[in-house]
Amino acid sequence: MKKAFAVPLALLLLTGCSLTPDYQRPQVGTMQGWSATQTQQSPSIIASNWWSTFQSDELDALMAQALESNTDLRAGLQRIEQARASLKIAGATLLPSVSGSAGSSRSKSNPTTGSNSYATSLSTGVSVSYELDLFGTNRAVISAAESGYQGSIFDQEALKLAMMGDVASGYFTLANLRERLKIADTNLTNAREVLRIIEARVREGTESDLELAQQKSAVSSSEASRASLVESLSNAENALAVLLGQVPQSLDVERKNLDTLNIPAIAAGQPSELLERRPDLLSAEAKLKAANADIGAARAAFYPSISLGLGNSLSLAGFGDPSSTVLSLASSIAAPIFTGGRLDGGLDKASARQLELVETYHGNVLSAFQEVEDAMSAVKAAQMRETALENAMQQSRRAYQLSKSLYDAGSIDYQTLLDTQKAQLSAEDAHAQTRLARLNAAVNLYRALGGGWNS
């Protein structure tokens, strides 16, 4: 009977048990497919360098620089190292702890006889201690640290994805502002030419001061709009420089417009794929796994802990004297008896934290689905707007040229010319901005789908 009991007891001491609940990913309802569809389909696997689909060598170079020099990414790498160190610290609890000691002393005595005597003693020792992880406390702590380490990697990937999206959007915005500034300069030149004509007619008496004042106001408004564009352009250059890890006003970008950039067709895949493709969702799940392990540690705190110790010491009374060796083996057990509710509170807190993260995970998944839907709708709407605004821009240019010729011939009044002039500026500026909207919609869709990273 004693032998039959000793076998499972020995196995328990060697392997222990775990009080951590089995982890299961929360059930989240997913859609059968996306409501928005693409007219063209690209390969279902998004490349890790997804920004190359815009076909800009300059953008590729900026991305490479940002991935290497962005300060947020470099700080994120150190957070990963911190999580790795925490995992190493947690893992040490499953290994024995070995420590050594050494000491020496020399004493002098002067008895009443008047003769001095000296005594020297030396000692050295090694001790080994080990805590039996019978109920999985240390393993639960290690599991939580492993999840924290994985979560830090996922957080870094999410940060990288956001940064790459910011660099792409910043690059497109910079080029768009330069294009809009060129449009503003062209229209300002036209407005000043019309002002010159009106001033000549006022001198000749064929126009009134009212038309002159109106055109001067139009020129001043154009100059003010141009000043705002110049400010926005400077801000965009500085923002992009910081993303690249450079000081402001040190950026060198050649692109002047968005004309030659390719706008890719992006296949969104299935909604369920987001759970494995988006690093922010995987980070949220890693936090959930860590909280699950914390429940196991909180449960194990109710049970006893056993520690084993082994010590070996050597002592010498003096040089050349006989030595003595002491070998000791000790064990201790500690069990909670009354903690005033501390252990119950710890378990309740860990359980509530786990349930909180379940709900957070649900919310993150739903938000991810929404972001993809919104991004796909934006891609489709921006494409339709660009087609319509391109036609509007062509017609507004034609209308302005016709009205200018008719005004020069005296066939229409000044107000009609002014209206067509404003319409042309508005149409050209709107068309330039909708091109930017299409590119940014593609960037946002890449980000919503998790980019090209896959766990």
Side-chain angles (χ1 to χ4, degrees):
M1 180 70 179
K2 291 182 179 179
K3 184 177 181 180
F5 176 75
V7 172
L9 178 60
L11 292 175
L12 177 63
L13 292 175
L14 290 174
T15 62
C17 62
S18 176
L19 300 176
T20 301
D22 293 334
Y23 174 77
Q24 292 183 346
R25 174 181 285 174
Q27 295 296 320
V28 181
T30 59
M31 303 171 291
Q32 295 298 320
W34 306 109
S35 60
T37 57
Q38 301 282 50
T39 56
Q40 296 178 339
Q41 291 294 324
S42 62
S44 57
I45 298 177
I46 300 175
S48 58
N49 60 335
W50 51 265
W51 55 87
S52 64
T53 58
F54 296 104
Q55 299 179 5
S56 168
D57 293 339
E58 188 173 49
L59 177 59
D60 294 345
L62 294 177
M63 282 292 186
Q65 180 179 345
L67 289 172
E68 180 180 356
S69 304
N70 181 267
T71 55
D72 290 336
L73 289 185
R74 297 175 72 169
L77 291 176
Q78 299 310 311
R79 286 192 291 271
I80 292 178
E81 290 304 314
Q82 294 173 44
R84 193 199 306 273
S86 296
L87 177 58
K88 184 183 296 184
I89 294 171
T93 59
L94 293 182
L95 301 175
S97 176
V98 181
S99 61
S101 62
S104 66
S105 65
R106 182 172 175 83
S107 61
K108 173 183 177 182
S109 62
N110 187 1
T112 56
T113 60
S115 60
N116 296 329
S117 63
Y118 299 89
T120 301
S121 63
L122 304 174
S123 65
T124 182
V126 177
S127 63
V128 180
S129 61
Y130 180 67
E131 179 182 356
L132 296 179
D133 193 26
L134 296 181
F135 303 100
T137 303
N138 295 337
R139 281 171 290 161
V141 172
I142 293 173
S143 179
E146 287 177 343
S147 297
Y149 172 61
Q150 290 297 324
S152 68
I153 295 176
F154 298 144
D155 287 339
Q156 179 73 355
E157 293 297 334
L159 177 62
K160 185 185 299 183
L161 178 59
M163 185 277 300
M164 291 186 293
D166 289 343
V167 170
S169 294
Y171 177 69
F172 299 149
T173 298
L174 177 59
N176 174 253
L177 286 168
R178 289 177 174 177
E179 184 177 6
R180 292 178 62 195
L181 183 59
K182 182 179 179 181
I183 293 171
D185 285 340
T186 301
N187 282 273
L188 180 58
T189 299
N190 292 337
R192 287 171 174 169
E193 174 62 19
V194 172
L195 177 60
R196 185 189 64 79
I197 295 174
I198 293 177
E199 287 175 337
R201 292 190 174 186
V202 169
R203 288 193 297 268
E204 296 171 357
T206 57
E207 291 285 2
S208 68
D209 289 338
L210 175 60
E211 283 79 6
L212 179 60
Q214 287 176 320
Q215 186 60 21
K216 285 183 177 180
S217 175
V219 170
S220 296
S221 296
S222 297
E223 291 172 342
S225 298
R226 185 188 185 281
S228 296
L229 287 174
V230 170
E231 179 187 9
S232 298
L233 179 57
S234 177
N235 293 341
E237 290 175 344
N238 293 336
L240 186 55
V242 171
L243 284 173
L244 301 180
Q246 299 179 199
V247 296
Q249 301 180 2
S250 63
L251 189 66
D252 182 17
V253 174
E254 296 181 359
R255 180 169 291 278
K256 305 299 182 183
N257 55 59
L258 305 175
D259 292 346
T260 59
L261 289 171
N262 177 62
I263 300 180
I266 307 168
Q270 296 299 317
S272 59
E273 295 177 3
L274 284 188
L275 304 184
E276 303 295 339
R277 291 177 57 174
R278 283 187 51 140
D280 60 329
L281 296 184
L282 291 169
S283 174
E285 189 174 10
K287 291 182 177 66
L288 188 55
K289 291 178 180 179
N292 198 63
D294 289 339
I295 292 178
R299 288 176 175 176
F302 286 87
Y303 295 88
S305 61
I306 299 177
S307 298
L308 302 178
L310 176 64
N312 187 17
S313 63
L314 173 68
S315 62
L316 296 171
F319 295 102
D321 294 332
S323 63
S324 62
T325 302
V326 178
L327 178 66
S328 61
L329 177 65
S331 63
S332 64
I333 181 170
I337 297 176
F338 177 74
T339 61
R342 176 176 59 84
L343 298 180
D344 290 320
L347 180 57
D348 291 343
K349 180 179 179 180
S351 300
R353 172 63 175 166
Q354 192 263 354
L355 293 175
E356 175 198 356
L357 291 176
V358 168
E359 298 303 324
T360 300
Y361 180 76
H362 280 155
N364 290 344
V365 171
L366 294 177
S367 296
F369 289 155
Q370 178 188 356
E371 289 173 5
V372 175
E373 284 283 0
D374 291 347
M376 294 184 70
S377 297
V379 167
K380 186 176 181 179
Q383 184 177 4
M384 296 174 62
R385 284 198 303 271
E386 184 183 32
T387 300
L389 288 173
E390 183 174 4
N391 180 62
M393 179 183 66
Q394 297 297 335
Q395 294 302 318
S396 67
R397 287 175 176 174
R398 183 171 180 271
Y400 175 71
Q401 293 300 325
L402 289 173
S403 62
K404 190 172 183 298
S405 298
L406 292 173
Y407 178 76
D408 291 341
S411 300
I412 61 173
D413 59 9
Y414 166 75
Q415 187 61 49
T416 303
L417 175 63
L418 183 61
D419 290 342
T420 56
Q421 177 183 317
K422 291 179 180 179
Q424 179 187 359
L425 173 60
S426 177
E428 289 179 341
D429 191 68
H431 178 262
Q433 291 189 67
T434 195
R435 182 74 175 180
L436 174 64
R438 283 195 66 188
L439 289 164
N440 282 337
V443 171
N444 290 336
L445 182 53
Y446 273 128
R447 291 173 60 168
L449 292 173
W453 182 78
N454 196 313
S455 65

